[in-house]
Amino acid sequence: MVRPVVSLTCVALLMCVFQSTSAQTMRSDPSGTWGGTMVTDEGPGGLEITLSRAGTEWRATVKFRLEGQEITPAIQALRLEGDQITFNTNIGRTLLKFNGNFAGDTLKGTIDAYQNDAKVGTATFDLKPGGTMPPLDRTQAGGQIADPNFNAKVDKPTYKNNGPKVLFDEAHHNFHTATGRYKPFADLITNDGYRITSNKEKFSPSVLNGYRILVISNAVGAPLMSDANASSPAFTEAESDAVRDWVRNGGSLLLIADHAPMGSANQVLATRFQVDMSKMYTVDPQNSDQESRNPGFIVYTRASGRLADHPLTRGRDESERVNNVITFTGQSLKGPPDSFAFLKLADTAMDTMPGPNPNSASAAGRAQGIAIKFGKGRVVIL
């Protein structure tokens, strides 16, 4: 009779110890910021949820990093009941449903993605109080990151003081930004004396006023490249008109629009300058970089004549002269009759669209870099 009593006592003591330990690790108030990793069908990312309470009402904000972008969508239908948290948010036409569970100093859960009521993906997350998301450049799609070792030094800056003001667009879900993948370029022109301001607003005469140069790189129609709406127009008609009029009055536009979906997203603006974008992927196996063995890495040289002589390629002296260029899987362009193609595609180049319904067309007579004089201004499209 003694042994069962001892066993029951040990069990009771173990239960008390376990409950005491659990009480020490459980958070009675989940307020604050929870951050950490997120794993999606698109690859690894980061998630951050900040909770606050006003009386009995809970409030929350969410931020996540995916495909090299940081997104802060609005939260809907927030509920906290016991150790459970649920809420919804929208990214383009994709509905995301969050379902998390608090357990000690962790918040783990799942994210289900829906389009037109059909489930299209699932993600998981693992967060800690005060935790941090992975750095943005570690989650960039396809491993594309800014070169941290690029030498942006300029020995003889063009402008020492009060150089031209550059507006760098970051208001249209841009794949490239001044602090992201285009940081080396931003550093280079800053060291040459240009003054950069990041743009967070829709284009209008008042937004563009006072700037000499506008840089737009890979604007798309949705926050994520994988979103079906990424190919939708990145700019409104009114924005496109504002940019056109600004250039006509003396502004200089550098517009970069890469392979699909960027061509479709930028066509509305390109049309203002009579430029046609193929909206596909351009390849040329006969004139591609042999080391990479990628038909989309197209080589342009002065010797071939496809890297044409122009102030952009000639520079101000021999030290600035460009003799070779390799492009990285872009699209093809066709400018108006008075435009100048300085990256001219060979007749062997093709525009292709991979996928379940592949399509292709000749890119002969087209280009990947054109310069246009437009009113009092200038346009370069790549």
Side-chain angles (χ1 to χ4, degrees):
M1 293 293 294
V2 174
R3 293 180 63 185
V5 171
V6 173
S7 298
L8 289 173
T9 302
C10 291
V11 171
L13 287 170
L14 287 171
M15 290 180 64
C16 289
V17 170
F18 175 78
Q19 290 171 354
S20 175
T21 303
S22 299
Q24 291 175 2
T25 59
M26 290 292 290
R27 290 175 62 88
S28 59
D29 183 1
S31 298
T33 298
W34 298 73
T37 59
M38 177 178 65
V39 179
T40 78
D41 297 333
E42 304 295 334
L47 177 66
E48 185 176 282
I49 300 173
T50 301
L51 297 169
S52 61
R53 183 163 52 185
T56 59
E57 181 183 358
W58 282 100
R59 299 173 182 174
T61 60
V62 64
K63 176 167 59 177
F64 58 90
R65 292 173 177 169
L66 184 63
E67 295 186 350
Q69 301 171 78
E70 189 168 278
I71 307 166
T72 55
I75 282 182
Q76 307 162 1
L78 173 66
R79 294 183 63 183
L80 272 83
E81 295 183 351
D83 60 357
Q84 299 291 314
I85 178 173
T86 59
F87 61 87
N88 299 338
T89 190
N90 288 93
I91 302 297
R93 66 185 185 93
T94 302
L95 171 66
L96 301 180
K97 295 185 176 182
F98 289 71
N99 191 327
N101 179 70
F102 295 98
D105 281 344
T106 63
L107 172 56
K108 297 182 179 182
T110 59
I111 308 169
D112 293 324
Y114 294 85
Q115 291 182 357
N116 298 324
D117 296 326
K119 188 174 179 180
V120 294
T122 301
T124 60
F125 58 87
D126 186 352
L127 314 181
K128 303 287 185 184
T132 58
M133 295 186 287
L136 189 62
D137 62 1
R138 294 182 185 175
T139 62
Q140 292 175 341
Q144 295 184 32
I145 62 173
D147 181 358
N149 300 314
F150 178 77
N151 181 7
K153 181 181 178 181
V154 176
D155 292 328
K156 298 178 180 179
T158 305
Y159 304 97
K160 294 183 178 180
N161 296 297
N162 298 320
K165 295 178 65 177
V166 179
L167 189 64
F168 207 116
D169 185 39
E170 299 182 5
H172 300 89
H173 309 304
N174 303 74
F175 192 73
H176 293 142
T177 62
T179 57
R181 294 182 182 88
Y182 259 34
K183 186 177 185 298
F185 170 72
D187 290 344
L188 183 69
I189 65 173
T190 296
N191 292 338
D192 203 28
Y194 293 85
R195 295 175 290 164
I196 293 178
T197 298
S198 293
N199 172 59
K200 305 292 184 181
E201 303 179 62
K202 289 184 177 295
F203 296 135
S204 67
S206 61
V207 168
L208 297 170
N209 185 43
Y211 291 95
R212 284 276 306 281
I213 300 167
L214 172 62
V215 177
I216 304 172
S217 185
N218 282 349
V220 289
L224 297 179
M225 295 285 289
S226 57
D227 193 299
N229 284 341
S231 60
S232 299
F235 315 100
T236 66
E237 298 289 344
E239 286 184 288
S240 300
D241 287 344
V243 173
R244 177 200 59 200
D245 295 343
W246 173 82
V247 173
R248 180 180 287 144
N249 290 325
S252 295
L253 170 65
L254 172 59
L255 175 63
I256 299 102
D258 213 320
H259 58 68
M262 270 73 87
S264 295
N266 286 265
Q267 183 62 72
V268 64
L269 179 57
T271 299
R272 296 303 192 278
F273 305 101
Q274 298 181 307
V275 172
D276 173 69
M277 296 185 167
S278 73
K279 310 172 189 65
M280 296 196 282
Y281 295 72
T282 302
V283 297
D284 186 355
Q286 294 189 35
N287 294 283
S288 61
D289 176 53
Q290 296 304 305
E291 183 178 353
S292 66
R293 298 182 180 179
N294 187 323
F297 287 21
I298 301 176
V299 178
Y300 298 84
T301 66
R302 283 185 178 272
S304 69
R306 294 188 301 106
L307 176 60
D309 187 61
H310 184 271
L312 288 171
T313 61
R314 190 185 316 133
R316 294 168 298 183
D317 55 42
E318 188 63 27
S319 69
E320 295 181 351
R321 181 183 172 94
V322 178
N323 295 311
N324 300 279
V325 171
I326 301 178
T327 61
F328 173 29
T329 319
Q331 62 164 327
S332 74
L333 309 168
K334 183 68 174 180
D338 58 348
S339 63
F340 186 90
F342 57 90
L343 294 179
K344 298 187 289 185
L345 287 161
D347 290 346
T348 50
M350 298 289 294
D351 285 318
T352 67
M353 198 65 180
N357 299 304
N359 186 26
S360 63
S362 172
R366 298 173 70 87
Q368 289 196 300
I370 58 177
I372 305 169
K373 294 180 180 180
F374 191 84
K376 296 179 181 178
R378 300 290 186 270
V379 179
V380 171
I381 302 183
L382 299 171

